[in-house]
Amino acid sequence: MVFGGSRGIGAAIANRLAGDGFDLALTYVSQPDRAAEVVQAINGLGRSAIAIQADSADADAITASVAHAVDRLGMLDVVVVNAGVLRRATIEAFTLEDLDLMLDVNVRGVFLAIQASTARMRDGGRVITIGSNTAIRTGSQESSVYAMTKAAVATMVKGVALDLAPRRITVNNIQPGPIETDLTAAMVPRLRDLIPLGRVGKAEEVASLVSYLISPAAGYMTGASLTIDGGYVL
């Protein structure tokens, strides 16, 4: 199951997991057409897929989406929590509404997605959160709240990994830097200058890291945060 799997990094992860042999449930908030495109692509790979409308700020919607996924596809083996929001402003201008939204989706929503999905997960399963390199490399104005939420996820993963270790469920966090998607296309030229490798990352590269973390080769890794950002510096 991929929370936030209808576009960008989430869509790339969903497609990679289908290529790895999994049937998929993915959630989306407001673009059913994009979600339907991902489902169609997965079906084209010979796997089953369903798209579920669920706002990660809504606790009931998260629980219902997991129940629906399990009813349709069976117990979960892998969960990727990719859903997130970004609001930017300086500390003087940041509104309470945007603060609450980012905490609800980026922190509370991540916790609730893990809580709900691991209750319906087989022992030995895998949980992956998609954080951000801003958790450790905050270097631009107007990003304090976003960075705070992603640092919270990195810390959360350490504790959740201990809670789930008796069930042999591993929990790890991926921290991408700038990734080329439809949402970041206009920023690519500026971002490229900040990356020692001289390019912006691809969503498929994040998906490849997810594929590794759910494989038997990564069975001894849990509670870790892995940064993939081309050496991004500020």
Side-chain angles (χ1 to χ4, degrees), residues 7 57 67 71 77 82 89 102 107 111 162 177 195 205:
R7 61 183 182 178
D71 287 345
D77 296 296
N82 175 66
M102 291 183 69
V107 182
F111 177 87
L162 298 180
I195 302 170
E205 292 175 305

Side-chain angles (χ1 to χ4, degrees), residues 96-109:
L96 181 59
E97 180 182 20
D98 282 347
L99 174 64
D100 287 343
L101 174 65
M102 291 183 69
L103 291 172
D104 283 348
V105 176
N106 293 3
V107 182
R108 179 173 176 265

Side-chain angles (χ1 to χ4, degrees), residues 53-141:
Q53 198 282 328
D55 186 344
S56 287
D58 184 336
D60 291 338
I62 291 172
T63 302
S65 70
V66 172
H68 183 47
V70 172
D71 287 345
R72 288 285 303 275
L73 299 175
M75 292 285 282
L76 301 173
D77 296 296
V78 173
V79 168
V80 180
V81 188
N82 175 66
V85 295
L86 169 63
R87 298 291 186 271
R88 296 177 62 92
T90 61
I91 190 67
E92 308 97 305
F94 217 98
T95 66
L96 181 59
E97 180 182 20
D98 282 347
L99 174 64
D100 287 343
L101 174 65
M102 291 183 69
L103 291 172
D104 283 348
V105 176
N106 293 3
V107 182
R108 179 173 176 265
V110 173
F111 177 87
L112 293 174
I114 296 173
Q115 185 182 58
S117 59
T118 54
R120 310 292 292 272
M121 177 177 281
R122 294 183 179 90
D123 289 354
R126 299 284 188 265
V127 176
I128 311 292
T129 58
I130 305 300
S132 168
N133 72 336
T134 59
I136 58 172
R137 304 187 196 217
T138 305
S140 60
Q141 293 179 328

Side-chain angles (χ1 to χ4, degrees), residues 14-40:
N15 279 290
R16 178 59 186 259
L17 292 177
D20 287 344
F22 290 93
D23 296 324
L24 267 295
L26 59 96
T27 71
Y28 68 94
V29 177
S30 60
Q31 296 189 345
D33 53 335
R34 298 290 294 274
E37 289 174 4
V38 179
V39 168
Q40 184 177 12

